[in-house]
Structure formats: C-alpha cells, structure tokens
Amino acid sequence: MEGNSILHAFNNIYFAIFALFCFKLLIKISLALLTHFYIVKGNRKEAARIAEEIYGIAPGSWADRSPLHEAAFQGRLLSLKTLIAQGFNVNIVTIDRVSALHEACLGGHVACAKVLLENGAQVNAVTVDGITPLFNACCSGSAACVNMLLEFGAKPQLESHLASPIHEAVKRGHRECMEILVANDVDIDQEDTQHGTPLYEACTYQRTDCVKKLLELGASVDLGKRLDTPLHAAVRKSSAEVANLLIDYGASMTCRNAEFKCALDLAAPNSKMGKVLLLREGPASLAQLCRLCIRKCLGRSCLYVVHKLNLPEPLEKFLLYR
C-alpha cells in the first residue's frame, strides 16, 4: 500500500513538470505570435521588447531586420540619416547578430557605412556565424569600404574561429581588397583550417591575378592546406596557367599530399595538364614515364608507346632518339 502511494506521488510530480513545460511552451508561442503581429502593424519597438523576453537578447537589440538594416543594405543614405536622427540605435542587431554596418558593407555602400561608423557603429561586430563588417566588405569587393573600416579600427587579422576577410577577397578575385589587407599586416600565409592559405584558396578558385600578386608579395609557394600544396589545387582544377605560374616561382613538383600523391599523380592521363607537368619536369620525368609505359603497354615497342601516350613533341623526340 505504501509502495503504491509513493508511485502515485512520483506520477503526480512528473505530471506537474510536464504541465509546467507545456504551459511555458504555450506562453512562448503566444509571445512569438504577438511579436509577429506587432511587426506587421509596424510597432517594432514593442516587438523588440517582447523578443528580448523570449530570446534573452541584450537590450537595444531587435529580433528582426529593422528599417535601419534595410536602408543600409539598399544604400539609401538620406533615409539612414533620418532614422538615426529619429533615435534609432546604430548597433541594433537581428537574432543572428547582423548589424546595419554589416548590411552596408555587404552592399558596398561606403557612404552609408561611414555615417554608421561616425554615429558609433561597432566596427568589429561579429554575427553568430563569425562574420565581421570587414569580411562583408571583402565579399562585395569594395576597396573603399575596406579602407574606411581599417581607418575606424577594424581588425585585419582575426582570430582563427572567425571568417577570414583575406580568404574571402581571394576567393572572389578581389585583388585590391587583398592587397589592402596584406599592406595592413595580415599574415599572407595565414592557414585557415577549412580553406588553407590565401594562395591555396586562389588556386582552388583559379583566381590567376590573385595568385600572381600573392607570389609577388612573397607568399610561400608550397604552403597550402595541410599537406596539400597550391600546385595540387591547380592540377585538380586543370588550370595550366596557374600551375605554370607556381612552378615559375619555385613550386615543388615532388611534394606529396596526405594520399602520398605528387602533382603529376593528380593529372588525368594524356591531359593537357599532364603534358605541361611532364614538360616542366624535363628528363627527370623519364623514370615515371617508363613506369607508365610498363603499366599501359607491356611488350610494345617504344615507338608504339610514344604514339599511344600522345606526348608533347620535345619529350617524344627525347624518347625516340635515346
């Protein structure tokens, strides 16, 4: 009898906890609906107050995109100045911590970004995804925005867990933004765990101008992504121009990656890239050619092998007259 009473008491406790959970969930759903209603009606301040209670957002933040965000993103300078004059906080953010300055830089609107900064916008604000206004400026390719952010104290060299502006500039082929960052002491060989070095990123996206400039500025030609070198990346993308450029600056053709493959191992058989690499290797590549011949054409004559492999003319002559 006593055991039944204890079991009944525990059941009541579990039921009470479940009922309390459902009640809190119902309140949150109701407040979320009420927030949406206020936003639709245009009463964003009341929506913000409710959102702060629901999500625990710091005071002064808004749960949705504000008119300030929209004006900054669309480059409407007059509207932006009017909103600031009306008392809008320049540092209000969305739930994802996106500020109006983020939006202005993403759109490349340097005048709007300047007004926000002059009115106290946080130059190094970070979104939940680790995005800064400087990253967005590099994304848009606005060298003017990049320069202005740096003048207002933006950090060009960021912590490893944040999105890297120089990698974004290189990825999109914005060479001028990249040069500005390097001139402001950004590590030219900074290795991002996801993207490798800026040179590796440039080779991956076949940004020849950026590759050339990075090499001219002193980027290490063999530093890439872990054991993968920039030359590995260029060969994977079949970019003969980039590969030649890297080799001209001393890229090693014998470096092996985590799969123990050198650049030539990654080139497709009989491809233009393979021929380029063989030519650049010169006579030193004969040993590898012989191995390839043995695998492909056992028992055949050397003339047959040369014809079958469709080698470039200098190597063809070299083989036939040895």
Side-chain angles (χ1 to χ4, degrees):
M1 189 72 178
E2 186 179 347
N4 288 337
S5 298
I6 293 172
L7 183 63
H8 183 68
F10 272 114
N11 286 337
N12 286 340
I13 291 171
Y14 285 130
F15 179 77
I17 293 172
F18 178 72
L20 182 62
F21 171 78
C22 291
F23 179 69
K24 285 187 173 181
L25 183 62
L26 181 63
I27 290 175
K28 282 202 170 187
I29 292 172
S30 301
L31 287 173
L33 291 172
L34 187 60
T35 301
H36 179 71
F37 171 78
Y38 278 123
I39 291 172
V40 171
K41 290 294 183 182
N43 192 343
R44 290 175 175 269
K45 289 187 177 180
E46 186 63 22
R49 186 188 66 77
I50 296 171
E52 287 169 14
E53 293 178 5
I54 299 174
Y55 302 106
I57 300 173
S61 303
W62 285 7
D64 64 313
R65 285 170 62 83
S66 69
L68 205 67
H69 284 83
E70 293 298 334
F73 180 71
Q74 294 174 20
R76 292 187 280 111
L77 183 60
L78 183 59
S79 298
L80 192 68
K81 288 181 176 179
T82 302
L83 291 168
I84 293 171
Q86 288 175 351
F88 275 72
N89 182 0
V90 292
N91 287 310
I92 53 179
V93 294
T94 66
I95 292 175
D96 294 331
R97 311 299 298 173
V98 176
S99 68
L101 183 59
H102 279 101
E103 298 287 31
C105 293
L106 186 61
H109 304 303
V110 64
C112 291
K114 185 178 182 182
V115 167
L116 289 165
L117 288 165
E118 287 174 343
N119 282 275
Q122 294 178 5
V123 70
N124 290 307
V126 181
T127 70
V128 293
D129 297 318
I131 304 297
T132 61
L134 184 59
F135 179 93
N136 278 353
C138 289
C139 181
S140 68
S142 174
C145 274
V146 171
N147 272 320
M148 189 181 57
L149 289 167
L150 292 170
E151 287 173 11
F152 276 85
K155 296 177 182 177
Q157 185 75 52
L158 301 176
E159 293 84 354
S160 58
H161 67 281
L162 298 178
S164 168
I166 190 169
H167 284 79
E168 186 66 13
V170 166
K171 173 183 175 180
R172 297 181 181 273
H174 300 315
R175 194 185 73 177
E176 192 176 353
C177 294
M178 176 200 77
E179 290 182 67
I180 294 169
L181 292 172
V182 174
N184 281 271
D185 300 324
V186 170
D187 182 5
I188 200 170
D189 291 323
Q190 175 189 349
E191 185 173 347
D192 183 271
T193 52
Q194 185 178 354
H195 303 105
T197 62
L199 181 59
Y200 186 87
E201 185 87 334
C203 293
T204 299
Y205 287 91
Q206 303 173 66
R207 304 298 186 184
T208 309
D209 286 349
C210 290
V211 170
K212 185 175 181 181
K213 194 62 185 179
L214 284 166
L215 290 169
E216 289 174 357
L217 292 171
S220 180
V221 72
D222 287 326
L223 280 183
K225 185 179 179 182
R226 293 184 285 276
L227 293 178
D228 237 31
T229 67
L231 186 57
H232 283 100
V235 173
R236 282 197 190 90
K237 295 295 182 178
S238 299
S239 180
E241 185 180 1
V242 172
N244 272 319
L245 193 56
L246 292 168
I247 296 168
D248 286 341
Y249 275 84
S252 172
M253 299 179 65
T254 58
C255 282
R256 298 187 177 274
N257 60 15
E259 298 172 347
F260 208 66
K261 291 183 177 181
C262 65
L264 188 55
D265 295 329
L266 298 177
N270 301 327
S271 66
K272 180 182 177 182
M273 176 57 72
K275 294 173 186 178
V276 167
L277 293 175
L278 287 170
L279 274 173
R280 297 307 295 263
E281 273 195 344
S285 65
L286 284 178
Q288 187 158 0
L289 273 175
C290 290
R291 289 196 298 271
L292 184 61
C293 293
I294 292 168
R295 286 200 305 267
K296 285 196 168 188
C297 310
L298 284 173
R300 302 285 189 175
S301 68
C302 188
L303 181 62
Y304 175 84
V305 170
V306 171
H307 173 71
K308 199 68 178 172
L309 290 178
N310 190 26
L311 297 174
E313 187 177 346
L315 275 177
E316 181 177 327
K317 289 179 180 178
F318 185 85
L319 278 176
L320 290 177
Y321 295 102
R322 299 302 282 179

